Amino acid sequence: MSAFPHAHYLKGAHEPSQFYPDVGAEVCFGGRSNSGKSSAINAITQRAGLARTSKTPGQTQLVNFFELEPGRRLVDLPGYGFAKVPRPLQDHWKKLLEAYFRDRTTLKALFLIVDVRRGLGDQDLQMIEFARSCGRGVHILLTKADKLTRNQGASALAAVRRQLGDSATAQLLSAPAKTGVDEARKALRAFLREKNPTGDTPPPG
Ligand SMILES: Nc1nc2c(ncn2[C@@H]2O[C@H](COP(=O)(O)OP(=O)(O)OP(=O)(O)O)[C@@H](O)[C@H]2O)c(=O)[nH]1
Ligand SMILES: [Mg+2]
């Protein structure tokens, strides 16, 4: 049984004007190209094929909105760090992501997807810093944990936690082995339940 049996794709946006209406609550999935964002989304929702995965980096080219439950969304962001994406498009994505993080009132948190074998790169650190400066929560999913031994995974996680301090939480994840999937789903649900200061339910009276 899927954790989100009614999850479905809403739309992709190439411009802020195409963003899905900003009501309810959402969590976005960002990170380097090919780090496993789309696979993580499918594993966490238990919906194979919900987000499109690929061996070719740079596959997710739009800000893709998915509805998990009424008023609760998950957003798959284009990945960064893929050199073959033409410069003008990279600049366009950067502006698009900045606008999204700055202005999106329903955005509760960034789930930052990092290949556990690579660790945090400069762009990951910039993304964490930027999300925090916009008042968003940050949870790191160290993916592809199945590529490391249990000990190697544990020490990679400890290193990332030391590096992050209180600025973010972190965990290991493997999409094919399903390790860490329950923990990630719990974190996702916790962020989506957070009270929205701008309110999706109007105050009484
Ligand atoms: N072994 C292993 N492979 C994984 C895992 N997660 C993703 N992959 C593989 O990594 C590749 C990229 O996965 P995607 O989920 O498409 O990555 P993405 O971050 O969405 O990529 P872009 O949308 O192109 O930026 C695919 O070949 C996946 O099968 C994992 O946990 N373990
Ligand atoms: Mg993707």
Side-chain angles (χ1 to χ4, degrees), residues 61 82-93:
Q61 305 217 338
F82 179 51
K84 278 190 199 146
V85 175
R87 192 58 207 247
L89 186 57
Q90 286 185 31
D91 291 344
H92 174 80
W93 284 351

Side-chain angles (χ1 to χ4, degrees), residues 32-40 52-60 76 79 143-147 173-176:
R32 264 187 89 88
S33 184
N34 213 40
S35 58
K37 293 175 296 298
S38 301
S39 303
R52 211 172 300 160
T53 62
S54 169
K55 286 202 191 331
T56 320
Q59 193 59 31
T60 306
D76 192 9
T143 54
K144 312 195 186 184
D146 53 285
K147 300 276 193 188
L173 188 92
S174 164

Side-chain angles (χ1 to χ4, degrees), residues 14-184:
H14 187 64
E15 295 288 344
S17 63
Q18 298 165 346
F19 288 168
Y20 191 80
D22 199 4
V23 286
E26 67 192 31
V27 166
C28 67
F29 280 56
R32 264 187 89 88
S33 184
N34 213 40
S35 58
K37 293 175 296 298
S38 301
S39 303
I41 289 173
N42 294 338
I44 292 167
T45 55
Q46 292 170 305
R47 291 284 304 274
L50 183 64
R52 211 172 300 160
T53 62
S54 169
K55 286 202 191 331
T56 320
Q59 193 59 31
T60 306
Q61 305 217 338
L62 298 166
V63 173
N64 283 309
F65 292 85
F66 297 87
E67 185 169 84
L68 295 175
E69 291 163 355
R72 299 284 176 267
R73 288 178 305 279
L74 191 157
V75 180
D76 192 9
L77 300 175
Y80 45 77
F82 179 51
K84 278 190 199 146
V85 175
R87 192 58 207 247
L89 186 57
Q90 286 185 31
D91 291 344
H92 174 80
W93 284 351
K94 189 162 182 280
K95 284 213 190 80
L96 184 64
L97 293 187
E98 280 171 5
Y100 175 74
F101 275 91
R102 223 183 24 238
D103 303 332
R104 191 78 176 160
T105 57
T106 56
L107 178 61
K108 301 299 181 183
L110 162 70
F111 271 38
L112 185 70
I113 315 306
V114 177
D115 185 327
V116 68
R117 298 166 298 177
R118 298 185 76 110
L120 296 170
D122 288 345
Q123 283 171 300
D124 298 318
L125 293 168
Q126 281 167 27
M127 185 96 170
I128 295 169
E129 171 103 17
F130 186 61
R132 298 278 306 165
S133 74
C134 296
R136 317 300 177 181
V138 180
H139 184 67
I140 316 281
L141 300 180
L142 295 169
T143 54
K144 312 195 186 184
D146 53 285
K147 300 276 193 188
L148 297 183
T149 65
R150 193 185 278 260
N151 275 341
Q152 287 171 330
S155 65
L157 175 61
V160 164
R161 283 184 171 153
R162 266 196 307 276
Q163 197 177 352
L164 292 170
D166 315 327
S167 64
T169 49
Q171 65 158 101
L172 294 169
L173 188 92
S174 164
K178 310 280 184 258
T179 6
V181 166
D182 288 345
E183 186 182 353

